[in-house]
Amino acid sequence: MPSVPPGPVPRHRVWPAAAAGAVAVGSAVVLGELLAGIFSPALSPMTAVGGAVIDAVPPGMKDWAVALFGTADKLALLAGMALVIAALAAMAGIVEDRRRFAGIAIVGLFGLVGLAAVLTRAQASFNAMALPVITAVIAGALLRFLIRRLQEWTGSERTSDTEAVPARRRFLQALAGGAAFTVIGGALASLWRGAAAAASEARSRVALPVPASAAPPIPSGAETGLDGMQPLVTPNPDFYRIDTALTVPALDPDTWVLKVTGMVDREVELSFADLVAKPLIERHVTIACVSNEVGGDLIGNARWLGWPVRELLALAGPQPGADMVLSRSTDGWTAGTPLEVLTDNRDALLAVGMNGEPLPLEHGFPVRLVVPGLYGYVSATKWVTELKVTRFADDAGYWTPRGWSERGPIKTSSRIDVPRDGRGVKAGTVMFGGVAWAQHSGIGKVELRVNRGAWQQAELGEGISVDTWYQWKVGLELAAGQYEVQVRATDLTGRAQDEQRRPPAPDGATGFHTIRVDVQP
Ligand SMILES: Nc1nc2c(c(=O)[nH]1)N[C@H]1C(S)=C(S)[C@@H](COP(=O)(O)O)O[C@H]1N2
Ligand SMILES: [Mo]
């Protein structure tokens, strides 16, 4: 790099330095918003900062803003934030050009403000905290890069004529690239944000009906009460999320329709209003992902409100020969479910509610399928818009041609949650606890063994139903030392969980969850 002779900063460098600051910070903020759009709208740093601003301004000023901008008040706030950020970023550019790291310090302050805003939000999570940090780090790096290019250009202008023109071009190219990313990415991010905001708004207007058949009450003996156990009913924000959707689909319940097509006597169309007017039932069902490793956490239990799928299928009248329902999501994703499972007496639901709320956007708003006993990839279609009655011989769900089995009944399994793997505990009676599941058959018993010794029966919590997981606990007498502890579940028909270790592909992992326990004197 050519050395820069000392002297006053030339006036013509102020504007390019300001532009470099604005472009660096703009690109990083846009990247943060795009990442939020991809992972979850709830992670958006701009939304967190905006929310904190709304909470902080005095009520009088809020009224004034609403009076001035009407329903565009949120948009006005975002535009205002963008202006303030651009101004501070331009300043950071100018400052960084004069004094190395001074502008980066300003950018770091931005990151801290974003982080503080996230921490004031209700859904503050580790992931949400990562985004402002990533944004600030990238902004700082881009700022340094652009200012370096700028200084190479202005430096070379004073030292060599031949270097100045290419150096200028390099700076302007980097600047233009960043500006283009900011504008195009920003437009994309605001489109996503608009769609997600509209869907959230529509969701907040949904009033779920009272179920015609309420969920059976949770038995008092269902929870073991052991410290460190996962909640028996998984709260929505903690529920695992798996899907192929790059951005969360944003559907409008007012225009949503579900079509029943294919091998049926009559095609049926169902609107959201039609659906919620049906006699809905509410049930606890534990759903699981086929990718869940033994001992993994891609499983959750919720109280789902919905209409039995068999009632809808009965209206359409499946034709003889049909053996599969291909459910399709608005984004084209599909699952192939045996027709039999959707027409037998189990509570397979077209669900609209999750734990007393409309489905969260990430979990399929406005309507998804929930089928007790089957892995999600062959049953739990979110944002569902079509049920095609067909045959396994003619159609296949999304994952089947990609190496996963055509059929995916959930395998009986169990997990040790207390103590955590590798954790040290005190010698004496060591309490163990966890969950076990055999959806639609129910759990009959859970046993533990230490260092491959004899199986010892655990105390089994009362199940909510055969379609949910069961909690269990047991105290074992252990002297100081290192132990390997394994768990095994047996369903109500007497079938024990498969001992053979197999990976998740092609139809679900098997083997015993095994933990190490370090017992201290
Ligand atoms: N539209 C759509 N629905 C989908 C999927 C998907 O990729 N797209 N994935 C399925 C899989 S593999 C699982 S395990 C469950 C997960 O549901 P959850 O994200 O609500 O926990 O959704 C199912 N429904
Ligand atoms: Mo899954």
Side-chain angles (χ1 to χ4, degrees):
M1 176 183 138
S3 66
V4 182
V9 175
R11 278 193 70 74
H12 77 265
R13 231 163 82 178
V14 169
W15 284 107
V23 163
V25 172
S27 307
V29 168
V30 161
L31 186 73
E33 293 304 303
L34 289 175
L35 287 174
I38 289 173
F39 292 110
S40 165
L43 297 181
S44 156
M46 285 288 271
T47 303
V49 173
V53 170
I54 291 174
D55 291 354
V57 298
M61 197 172 147
K62 246 176 262 186
D63 297 344
W64 170 81
V66 172
L68 190 62
F69 299 112
T71 50
D73 59 341
K74 302 273 184 332
L75 209 65
L77 172 64
L78 283 170
M81 280 165 57
L83 280 179
V84 171
I85 292 174
L88 288 172
M91 207 177 81
I94 296 169
V95 170
E96 180 73 18
D97 181 35
R98 302 194 173 183
R99 201 164 205 281
R100 196 169 176 184
F101 295 128
I104 290 188
I106 297 181
V107 168
L109 275 176
F110 268 106
L112 285 181
V113 168
L115 197 61
V118 165
L119 289 176
T120 65
R121 304 291 88 200
Q123 299 131 319
S125 66
F126 185 74
N127 290 342
M129 280 157 50
L131 275 192
V133 175
I134 293 174
T135 304
V137 168
I138 290 179
L142 280 177
L143 180 62
R144 195 60 235 146
F145 173 79
L146 287 173
I147 293 297
R148 172 89 142 270
R149 284 262 180 283
L150 172 62
Q151 291 174 344
E152 276 168 15
W153 160 33
T154 50
S156 63
E157 253 182 0
R158 272 172 283 158
T159 52
S160 112
D161 284 344
T162 48
E163 266 298 309
V165 171
R168 173 168 179 266
R169 193 173 51 228
R170 278 198 300 274
F171 169 71
L172 290 178
Q173 273 172 351
L175 194 67
F181 174 79
T182 307
V183 169
I184 296 168
L188 195 64
S190 24
L191 272 180
W192 287 352
R193 158 186 288 279
S200 301
E201 215 264 315
R203 177 177 181 269
S204 68
R205 282 197 320 260
V206 168
L208 294 179
V210 174
S213 160
I218 295 179
S220 57
E223 252 163 318
T224 61
L226 202 61
D227 251 13
M229 295 277 287
Q230 304 263 317
L232 186 61
V233 179
T234 316
N236 292 352
D238 301 340
F239 209 93
Y240 81 94
R241 174 188 165 201
I242 295 283
D243 53 63
T244 59
L246 186 56
T247 60
V248 178
L251 297 187
D252 178 357
D254 291 339
T255 55
W256 175 90
V257 275
L258 177 67
K259 294 192 169 86
V260 186
T261 63
M263 298 171 67
V264 288
D265 290 340
R266 328 154 259 290
E267 298 208 335
V268 176
E269 280 198 13
L270 190 75
S271 71
F272 189 73
D274 294 338
L275 176 55
V276 292
K278 302 288 183 194
L280 304 188
I281 69 173
E282 201 165 32
R283 297 288 182 267
H284 286 96
V285 177
T286 299
I287 66 171
C289 184
V290 69
S291 300
N292 197 31
E293 301 279 354
V294 171
D297 58 6
L298 299 180
I299 177 167
N301 183 39
R303 180 161 48 88
W304 307 96
L305 174 71
W307 193 40
V309 185
R310 63 172 174 276
E311 312 247 351
L312 175 61
L313 290 174
L315 288 184
Q319 290 171 346
D323 63 1
M324 186 242 256
V325 172
L326 189 76
S327 52
R328 183 179 297 276
S329 156
T330 186
D331 64 0
W333 188 88
T334 53
T337 311
L339 179 63
E340 199 202 329
V341 168
L342 296 178
T343 48
D344 69 11
N345 66 355
R346 81 184 71 198
D347 298 317
L349 297 179
L350 266 173
V352 295
M354 181 177 186
N355 292 327
E357 288 176 21
L359 294 177
L361 302 194
E362 289 89 343
H363 294 289
F365 180 78
V367 183
R368 73 173 303 168
L369 287 172
V370 172
V371 182
L374 300 189
Y375 286 123
Y377 84 105
V378 288
S379 71
T381 305
K382 305 190 272 190
W383 316 289
V384 63
T385 53
E386 186 192 350
L387 301 183
K388 179 187 178 193
V389 179
T390 178
R391 305 188 313 156
F392 277 104
D394 300 334
D395 273 301
Y398 181 88
W399 285 110
T400 303
R402 294 172 171 81
W404 297 81
S405 298
E406 184 178 82
R407 314 226 173 195
I410 296 180
K411 292 177 172 162
T412 299
S413 194
S414 49
R415 191 177 77 193
I416 305 172
D417 291 332
V418 179
R420 301 217 74 85
D421 190 11
R423 187 63 60 86
V425 293
K426 276 225 117 358
T429 308
V430 179
M431 289 308 299
F432 290 82
V435 280
W437 56 93
Q439 282 89 329
H440 214 54
S441 338
I443 290 293
K445 70 175 174 189
V446 171
E447 298 156 298
L448 251 61
R449 72 177 177 191
V450 179
N451 293 344
R452 316 254 162 164
W455 288 107
Q456 309 181 51
Q457 200 152 332
E459 184 189 322
L460 191 60
E462 220 175 308
I464 302 176
S465 82
V466 294
D467 294 333
T468 64
W469 59 16
Y470 294 52
Q471 292 193 351
W472 58 265
K473 70 170 173 191
V474 61
L476 301 179
E477 293 306 319
L478 295 178
Q482 294 275 346
Y483 299 92
E484 178 207 77
V485 179
Q486 294 183 301
V487 63
R488 170 175 81 171
T490 302
D491 73 12
L492 278 169
T493 70
R495 271 178 60 124
Q497 152 181 2
D498 191 343
E499 169 163 19
Q500 169 115 37
R501 289 171 143 270
R502 285 194 205 85
D507 61 359
T510 58
F512 298 145
H513 187 209
T514 305
I515 66 164
R516 311 222 135 254
V517 188
D518 181 17
V519 180
Q520 286 144 6

